[in-house]
Amino acid sequence: GVPVDLALALHSDAGVTALDSIIGTLLIYSSKNDAKETIYANGVSREVARELADYIQSEIVNDVRHIFAPEWTRRSLYDKSYSESRVPNVPAVIVELLSHQNYSDMHYGHDPRFKFLVSRSIYKGVLKYLHAQDSTTYCVHPLPVCDFSIQACGEDELLLRWKARIDSLEPTAIARRYWVQCK
């Protein structure tokens, strides 16, 4: 009974190059299912999977270029018949993030900051895609706080301090308040 809006597959086999330059990111969607149908069960064209792919790829490439590698390659949006994108009866894409066979890509692929950035980029792409389908506004979740500290101020009092982290890539990611929960 849980609605499924879309499906994602994350891969790291985007190709190889003899020169060990950055391979970059490509996305794959399928405009036809096994029966060669071009419409999902809900009556929506399977071409919306291309829109999903474009949102996700745009977020990944833009964010990686701004924070890590200006030369990061935006590769194609492929309409290919792979089971991960062809079989689901909802918009589905394969994110070929980088090439695990390529040192230049894996230099970034092993960096936890890169992994966090890309995860957030995928989240933002999905969020923007879903809100575009409904023509509604969105607000990206703010980044975790930084410089967190706790100071004892008495027998039963603690002073909590932190700083908001500004997301230079996403203007909607602003915390309006914080909720501190004690257990």
Side-chain angles (χ1 to χ4, degrees), residues 34-97:
D34 287 333
K36 306 295 184 217
E37 297 167 330
T38 59
I39 305 292
Y40 290 114
N42 65 359
V44 173
S45 168
R46 291 182 64 92
E47 286 296 323
V48 299
R50 186 190 186 289
E51 292 177 38
L52 173 61
D54 190 34
Y55 273 100
I56 293 172
Q57 186 181 46
S58 295
E59 291 297 322
I60 291 171
V61 172
N62 290 339
D63 291 356
V64 170
R65 284 179 178 171
H66 277 92
I67 302 299
F68 284 96
E71 71 278 15
W72 196 262
T73 307
R74 179 186 175 112
R75 299 190 53 215
S76 298
L77 296 176
Y78 286 152
D79 182 359
K80 299 281 185 180
S81 184
Y82 291 98
S83 64
E84 296 99 316
S85 58
R86 180 188 70 245
V87 172
N89 209 8
V90 294
V93 297
I94 302 170
V95 179
E96 288 286 0
L97 178 60

Coordinates of all heavy atoms in Angstrom, one line a residue, residues 34-97:
D34 N 9.2 -4.0 -21.5 CA 9.4 -5.3 -22.2 C 8.4 -5.5 -23.3 O 8.7 -6.1 -24.3 CB 9.3 -6.5 -21.2 CG 10.6 -6.6 -20.4 OD1 11.7 -6.1 -20.8 OD2 10.5 -7.1 -19.2
A35 N 7.2 -5.0 -23.1 CA 6.1 -5.2 -24.1 C 6.1 -4.0 -25.2 O 5.2 -3.9 -26.0 CB 4.7 -5.2 -23.4
K36 N 7.2 -3.2 -25.2 CA 7.4 -2.1 -26.1 C 6.3 -1.0 -25.9 O 6.1 -0.2 -26.7 CB 7.4 -2.6 -27.5 CG 8.3 -3.6 -27.9 CD 9.8 -3.2 -27.7 CE 10.7 -4.3 -28.1 NZ 11.9 -4.3 -27.3
E37 N 5.7 -1.0 -24.7 CA 4.8 0.1 -24.3 C 5.5 1.3 -24.0 O 6.6 1.3 -23.3 CB 3.9 -0.4 -23.2 CG 3.0 -1.6 -23.5 CD 2.4 -2.2 -22.3 OE1 2.9 -2.1 -21.2 OE2 1.3 -2.8 -22.5
T38 N 4.9 2.5 -24.3 CA 5.6 3.8 -24.0 C 4.8 4.6 -22.9 O 5.1 5.7 -22.7 CB 5.7 4.6 -25.3 OG1 4.3 4.8 -25.8 CG2 6.5 4.0 -26.3
I39 N 3.9 3.9 -22.2 CA 3.0 4.5 -21.2 C 3.1 3.7 -19.9 O 3.1 2.5 -20.0 CB 1.6 4.6 -21.7 CG1 1.4 5.4 -23.0 CG2 0.7 5.3 -20.6 CD1 1.8 6.8 -23.0
Y40 N 3.2 4.4 -18.8 CA 3.2 3.7 -17.5 C 1.7 3.3 -17.2 O 0.8 3.8 -17.8 CB 3.7 4.5 -16.4 CG 5.2 4.8 -16.5 CD1 5.7 6.0 -16.7 CD2 6.1 3.7 -16.3 CE1 7.1 6.2 -16.8 CE2 7.5 3.9 -16.3 CZ 8.0 5.2 -16.6 OH 9.3 5.4 -16.7
A41 N 1.5 2.4 -16.2 CA 0.2 2.0 -15.8 C -0.7 3.1 -15.4 O -1.9 3.1 -15.6 CB 0.3 1.0 -14.7
N42 N -0.2 4.2 -14.9 CA -1.0 5.4 -14.5 C -1.3 6.3 -15.7 O -1.9 7.4 -15.5 CB -0.3 6.2 -13.4 CG 1.0 6.8 -13.8 OD1 1.4 6.7 -14.9 ND2 1.6 7.5 -12.9
G43 N -0.9 5.9 -16.9 CA -1.3 6.7 -18.1 C -0.3 7.8 -18.4 O -0.4 8.5 -19.4
V44 N 0.8 7.9 -17.7 CA 1.9 8.9 -18.0 C 2.9 8.3 -18.9 O 3.2 7.1 -18.9 CB 2.5 9.3 -16.6 CG1 3.7 10.2 -16.9 CG2 1.5 10.0 -15.7
S45 N 3.3 9.2 -19.8 CA 4.4 8.8 -20.8 C 5.6 8.3 -20.1 O 6.1 9.0 -19.1 CB 4.7 9.9 -21.7 OG 5.8 9.6 -22.5
R46 N 6.3 7.3 -20.6 CA 7.6 6.8 -20.0 C 8.7 7.9 -20.3 O 9.8 7.8 -19.7 CB 7.9 5.5 -20.6 CG 7.0 4.4 -20.1 CD 7.4 3.0 -20.7 NE 8.8 2.6 -20.2 CZ 9.0 1.9 -19.1 NH1 8.0 1.5 -18.4 NH2 10.2 1.6 -18.8
E47 N 8.4 8.9 -21.1 CA 9.4 9.9 -21.3 C 9.7 10.8 -20.1 O 10.7 11.5 -20.0 CB 9.0 10.8 -22.5 CG 9.1 10.2 -23.8 CD 10.6 9.9 -24.2 OE1 11.5 10.7 -23.9 OE2 10.8 8.8 -24.9
V48 N 8.8 10.7 -19.1 CA 9.1 11.4 -17.8 C 10.3 10.9 -17.1 O 10.9 11.6 -16.4 CB 7.9 11.4 -16.8 CG1 6.7 12.1 -17.4 CG2 7.5 10.0 -16.3
A49 N 10.7 9.6 -17.4 CA 11.9 9.1 -16.9 C 13.1 9.9 -17.4 O 14.1 10.0 -16.7 CB 12.1 7.6 -17.2
R50 N 13.0 10.4 -18.6 CA 14.1 11.2 -19.2 C 14.2 12.5 -18.4 O 15.3 13.0 -18.1 CB 13.9 11.5 -20.7 CG 15.0 12.3 -21.3 CD 14.7 12.8 -22.7 NE 15.9 13.4 -23.3 CZ 16.5 14.5 -22.9 NH1 16.0 15.2 -21.9 NH2 17.6 15.0 -23.5
E51 N 13.0 13.1 -18.0 CA 13.0 14.3 -17.2 C 13.7 14.0 -15.8 O 14.5 14.8 -15.4 CB 11.6 14.8 -17.0 CG 10.9 15.3 -18.2 CD 9.5 15.7 -17.9 OE1 9.2 16.3 -16.8 OE2 8.6 15.5 -18.8
L52 N 13.4 12.9 -15.2 CA 14.0 12.5 -14.0 C 15.5 12.4 -14.1 O 16.3 12.9 -13.3 CB 13.4 11.2 -13.5 CG 14.1 10.5 -12.2 CD1 14.0 11.4 -11.0 CD2 13.5 9.2 -12.0
A53 N 15.9 11.7 -15.2 CA 17.4 11.6 -15.5 C 18.0 13.0 -15.6 O 19.1 13.2 -15.1 CB 17.6 10.7 -16.7
D54 N 17.4 13.9 -16.3 CA 17.9 15.2 -16.5 C 18.1 16.0 -15.2 O 19.1 16.6 -15.0 CB 17.1 16.0 -17.6 CG 17.8 17.2 -18.0 OD1 19.0 17.3 -18.1 OD2 17.1 18.2 -18.3
Y55 N 17.1 15.9 -14.4 CA 17.1 16.6 -13.1 C 18.3 16.1 -12.3 O 19.1 16.8 -11.7 CB 15.8 16.4 -12.3 CG 14.8 17.4 -12.6 CD1 13.7 17.2 -13.5 CD2 14.8 18.7 -12.0 CE1 12.7 18.1 -13.7 CE2 13.8 19.7 -12.3 CZ 12.8 19.3 -13.1 OH 11.8 20.3 -13.4
I56 N 18.4 14.8 -12.2 CA 19.4 14.2 -11.3 C 20.8 14.5 -11.9 O 21.7 14.9 -11.2 CB 19.2 12.6 -11.2 CG1 18.0 12.4 -10.4 CG2 20.4 12.0 -10.5 CD1 17.5 10.9 -10.3
Q57 N 21.0 14.3 -13.2 CA 22.3 14.5 -13.8 C 22.7 16.0 -13.7 O 23.9 16.3 -13.4 CB 22.3 14.1 -15.3 CG 23.7 14.2 -15.9 CD 23.7 13.8 -17.4 OE1 22.8 14.3 -18.1 NE2 24.7 13.1 -17.8
S58 N 21.8 16.9 -13.9 CA 22.1 18.3 -13.8 C 22.6 18.7 -12.4 O 23.5 19.4 -12.2 CB 20.8 19.2 -14.1 OG 20.5 19.0 -15.4
E59 N 21.9 18.1 -11.3 CA 22.3 18.4 -10.0 C 23.7 17.8 -9.7 O 24.5 18.5 -9.1 CB 21.3 17.8 -9.0 CG 20.0 18.5 -9.0 CD 20.0 20.0 -8.5 OE1 20.8 20.3 -7.6 OE2 19.3 20.8 -9.1
I60 N 23.9 16.6 -10.1 CA 25.2 16.0 -9.8 C 26.3 16.8 -10.5 O 27.3 17.1 -9.9 CB 25.2 14.5 -10.3 CG1 24.3 13.6 -9.4 CG2 26.7 14.0 -10.3 CD1 24.1 12.2 -10.0
V61 N 26.2 17.0 -11.8 CA 27.3 17.6 -12.6 C 27.5 19.0 -12.1 O 28.6 19.5 -11.9 CB 27.0 17.6 -14.1 CG1 28.0 18.4 -14.9 CG2 27.0 16.1 -14.5
N62 N 26.4 19.8 -11.9 CA 26.6 21.2 -11.4 C 27.3 21.2 -10.0 O 28.2 22.0 -9.8 CB 25.3 21.9 -11.3 CG 24.7 22.2 -12.7 OD1 25.4 22.2 -13.7 ND2 23.4 22.4 -12.8
D63 N 26.9 20.4 -9.1 CA 27.4 20.4 -7.8 C 28.9 20.0 -7.8 O 29.7 20.6 -7.1 CB 26.6 19.5 -6.8 CG 25.2 20.1 -6.5 OD1 24.9 21.3 -7.0 OD2 24.4 19.5 -5.8
V64 N 29.2 18.9 -8.5 CA 30.6 18.4 -8.5 C 31.5 19.4 -9.2 O 32.6 19.6 -8.7 CB 30.6 17.0 -9.3 CG1 32.1 16.6 -9.5 CG2 29.9 15.9 -8.4
R65 N 31.0 20.0 -10.2 CA 31.8 21.1 -10.9 C 32.1 22.2 -10.0 O 33.2 22.8 -10.0 CB 31.1 21.6 -12.2 CG 31.2 20.6 -13.3 CD 30.5 21.1 -14.6 NE 30.7 20.2 -15.7 CZ 30.0 20.4 -16.8 NH1 29.1 21.4 -17.0 NH2 30.2 19.5 -17.8
H66 N 31.1 22.6 -9.2 CA 31.3 23.8 -8.3 C 32.2 23.5 -7.1 O 33.0 24.3 -6.7 CB 30.0 24.3 -7.8 CG 29.3 25.2 -8.7 ND1 28.4 24.8 -9.7 CD2 29.4 26.5 -8.9 CE1 28.0 25.8 -10.4 NE2 28.6 26.9 -9.9
I67 N 32.2 22.3 -6.6 CA 32.9 21.9 -5.3 C 34.2 21.2 -5.6 O 35.1 21.4 -4.9 CB 31.9 21.2 -4.4 CG1 30.7 22.0 -4.0 CG2 32.7 20.8 -3.1 CD1 30.9 23.3 -3.4
F68 N 34.2 20.3 -6.5 CA 35.3 19.4 -6.6 C 36.1 19.5 -7.9 O 37.3 19.6 -7.9 CB 34.9 17.9 -6.5 CG 34.6 17.5 -5.1 CD1 33.3 17.5 -4.6 CD2 35.6 17.1 -4.3 CE1 33.0 17.2 -3.3 CE2 35.4 16.8 -2.9 CZ 34.1 16.8 -2.5
A69 N 35.4 19.4 -9.1 CA 36.1 19.2 -10.3 C 35.4 20.0 -11.4 O 34.5 19.5 -12.0 CB 36.3 17.8 -10.7
P70 N 35.9 21.2 -11.8 CA 35.3 22.0 -12.8 C 35.2 21.2 -14.2 O 34.4 21.5 -15.0 CB 36.1 23.2 -13.0 CG 36.9 23.3 -11.7 CD 37.0 21.9 -11.2
E71 N 36.1 20.3 -14.3 CA 36.2 19.5 -15.6 C 35.3 18.3 -15.6 O 35.3 17.5 -16.5 CB 37.7 19.1 -15.9 CG 38.2 18.0 -15.0 CD 38.7 18.5 -13.6 OE1 38.4 19.6 -13.2 OE2 39.4 17.7 -12.9
W72 N 34.5 18.1 -14.5 CA 33.6 16.9 -14.5 C 32.8 16.9 -15.7 O 32.1 17.9 -16.1 CB 32.8 16.9 -13.2 CG 32.2 15.6 -12.9 CD1 30.9 15.2 -13.3 CD2 32.8 14.5 -12.3 NE1 30.7 13.9 -12.8 CE2 31.9 13.4 -12.2 CE3 34.1 14.3 -11.7 CZ2 32.2 12.2 -11.7 CZ3 34.4 13.1 -11.2 CH2 33.4 12.0 -11.2
T73 N 32.7 15.7 -16.4 CA 32.0 15.6 -17.6 C 30.5 15.2 -17.5 O 30.2 14.3 -16.7 CB 32.7 14.4 -18.5 OG1 34.1 14.7 -18.5 CG2 32.1 14.3 -19.8
R74 N 29.7 16.0 -18.1 CA 28.3 15.7 -18.2 C 28.1 14.9 -19.5 O 28.3 15.4 -20.6 CB 27.4 16.9 -18.3 CG 25.9 16.6 -18.4 CD 25.0 17.8 -18.7 NE 23.7 17.4 -18.9 CZ 22.7 17.6 -18.1 NH1 22.9 18.3 -17.0 NH2 21.5 17.2 -18.3
R75 N 27.8 13.6 -19.3 CA 27.7 12.7 -20.5 C 26.3 12.6 -20.9 O 25.4 13.4 -20.5 CB 28.3 11.3 -20.1 CG 29.8 11.5 -19.7 CD 30.5 10.3 -19.5 NE 30.4 9.4 -20.7 CZ 30.4 8.1 -20.5 NH1 30.5 7.5 -19.3 NH2 30.3 7.3 -21.6
S76 N 25.9 11.7 -21.7 CA 24.6 11.6 -22.3 C 23.5 11.2 -21.4 O 23.8 10.6 -20.3 CB 24.7 10.6 -23.5 OG 25.6 11.1 -24.5
L77 N 22.3 11.4 -21.8 CA 21.1 10.8 -21.3 C 20.8 9.7 -22.3 O 20.4 10.0 -23.4 CB 19.9 11.8 -21.1 CG 20.1 12.9 -20.2 CD1 18.9 13.9 -20.2 CD2 20.3 12.4 -18.8
Y78 N 21.0 8.4 -21.9 CA 20.8 7.3 -22.8 C 19.4 6.7 -22.6 O 19.0 6.4 -21.5 CB 21.8 6.2 -22.6 CG 23.2 6.5 -23.0 CD1 24.3 5.9 -22.4 CD2 23.5 7.3 -24.1 CE1 25.6 6.1 -22.8 CE2 24.8 7.5 -24.5 CZ 25.8 6.9 -23.9 OH 27.1 7.1 -24.3
D79 N 18.7 6.5 -23.8 CA 17.5 5.7 -23.8 C 17.9 4.3 -24.2 O 18.0 4.0 -25.4 CB 16.5 6.3 -24.8 CG 15.2 5.6 -24.8 OD1 15.0 4.6 -24.1 OD2 14.3 6.0 -25.6
K80 N 18.1 3.5 -23.2 CA 18.6 2.1 -23.4 C 17.7 1.1 -22.6 O 17.0 1.5 -21.7 CB 20.0 2.0 -22.9 CG 21.0 2.9 -23.6 CD 21.4 2.3 -24.9 CE 22.5 3.2 -25.5 NZ 22.9 2.7 -26.8
S81 N 17.7 -0.1 -23.1 CA 16.9 -1.1 -22.5 C 17.7 -2.0 -21.5 O 18.1 -3.1 -21.8 CB 16.4 -2.0 -23.6 OG 15.5 -3.0 -23.1
Y82 N 17.8 -1.4 -20.3 CA 18.4 -2.1 -19.2 C 17.3 -2.4 -18.2 O 16.4 -1.6 -18.0 CB 19.5 -1.3 -18.5 CG 20.8 -1.1 -19.3 CD1 20.9 0.0 -20.0 CD2 21.7 -2.1 -19.3 CE1 22.1 0.2 -20.8 CE2 22.9 -1.9 -20.0 CZ 23.1 -0.8 -20.8 OH 24.2 -0.6 -21.5
S83 N 17.3 -3.6 -17.5 CA 16.2 -4.0 -16.7 C 15.9 -3.1 -15.6 O 14.8 -2.9 -15.2 CB 16.5 -5.4 -16.1 OG 17.6 -5.5 -15.3
E84 N 16.9 -2.4 -15.0 CA 16.7 -1.5 -13.9 C 15.8 -0.3 -14.3 O 15.1 0.2 -13.5 CB 18.0 -1.0 -13.3 CG 18.9 -2.0 -12.7 CD 20.0 -2.4 -13.6 OE1 19.8 -2.6 -14.8 OE2 21.1 -2.6 -13.1
S85 N 15.9 0.1 -15.5 CA 15.1 1.2 -16.0 C 13.9 0.8 -16.9 O 12.9 1.5 -17.0 CB 16.0 2.2 -16.8 OG 16.6 1.6 -17.9
R86 N 14.0 -0.4 -17.4 CA 12.9 -0.9 -18.3 C 11.7 -1.5 -17.6 O 10.6 -1.4 -17.9 CB 13.5 -1.9 -19.3 CG 12.5 -2.5 -20.3 CD 13.2 -3.6 -21.1 NE 13.4 -4.8 -20.3 CZ 14.6 -5.3 -20.1 NH1 15.7 -4.7 -20.5 NH2 14.8 -6.3 -19.3
V87 N 12.1 -2.3 -16.5 CA 11.1 -3.2 -15.8 C 10.1 -2.4 -14.9 O 8.9 -2.6 -14.9 CB 11.8 -4.4 -15.1 CG1 10.8 -5.1 -14.3 CG2 12.4 -5.3 -16.2
P88 N 10.6 -1.5 -14.1 CA 9.7 -0.8 -13.1 C 8.6 -0.1 -13.9 O 8.8 0.5 -14.9 CB 10.6 0.2 -12.4 CG 12.0 -0.3 -12.5 CD 12.0 -1.0 -13.9
N89 N 7.4 -0.1 -13.3 CA 6.3 0.5 -13.8 C 6.1 1.9 -13.3 O 5.0 2.4 -13.2 CB 5.0 -0.3 -13.6 CG 4.0 -0.1 -14.7 OD1 4.3 0.5 -15.7 ND2 2.8 -0.6 -14.6
V90 N 7.2 2.5 -12.9 CA 7.3 3.9 -12.5 C 8.6 4.5 -13.2 O 9.4 3.7 -13.6 CB 7.4 4.0 -11.0 CG1 6.2 3.6 -10.3 CG2 8.7 3.3 -10.4
P91 N 8.7 5.8 -13.3 CA 9.9 6.4 -13.8 C 11.1 5.8 -13.1 O 11.2 5.8 -11.9 CB 9.8 7.9 -13.6 CG 8.3 8.1 -13.5 CD 7.7 6.8 -12.9
A92 N 12.1 5.3 -13.9 CA 13.3 4.7 -13.3 C 14.5 5.1 -14.1 O 14.5 5.2 -15.3 CB 13.1 3.2 -13.3
V93 N 15.6 5.3 -13.4 CA 16.9 5.7 -14.1 C 18.0 4.9 -13.4 O 18.0 4.5 -12.3 CB 17.2 7.2 -14.0 CG1 16.1 8.0 -14.7 CG2 17.3 7.6 -12.5
I94 N 19.1 4.8 -14.2 CA 20.4 4.2 -13.8 C 21.3 5.4 -13.8 O 21.5 6.1 -14.8 CB 20.9 3.1 -14.7 CG1 19.9 2.0 -14.8 CG2 22.3 2.6 -14.2 CD1 20.3 1.0 -15.9
V95 N 21.9 5.7 -12.6 CA 22.9 6.7 -12.5 C 24.3 6.1 -12.6 O 24.7 5.3 -11.7 CB 22.8 7.4 -11.1 CG1 23.9 8.5 -11.0 CG2 21.4 8.0 -10.9
E96 N 24.9 6.3 -13.7 CA 26.3 5.9 -13.9 C 27.2 7.0 -13.5 O 27.5 7.9 -14.2 CB 26.6 5.5 -15.4 CG 25.9 4.2 -15.8 CD 26.6 2.9 -15.3 OE1 27.6 3.0 -14.5 OE2 26.1 1.9 -15.6
L97 N 27.4 7.0 -12.2 CA 28.1 8.2 -11.5 C 29.5 8.5 -12.1 O 29.8 9.6 -12.3 CB 28.1 8.0 -10.0 CG 28.8 9.1 -9.2 CD1 28.1 10.4 -9.4 CD2 28.8 8.7 -7.8

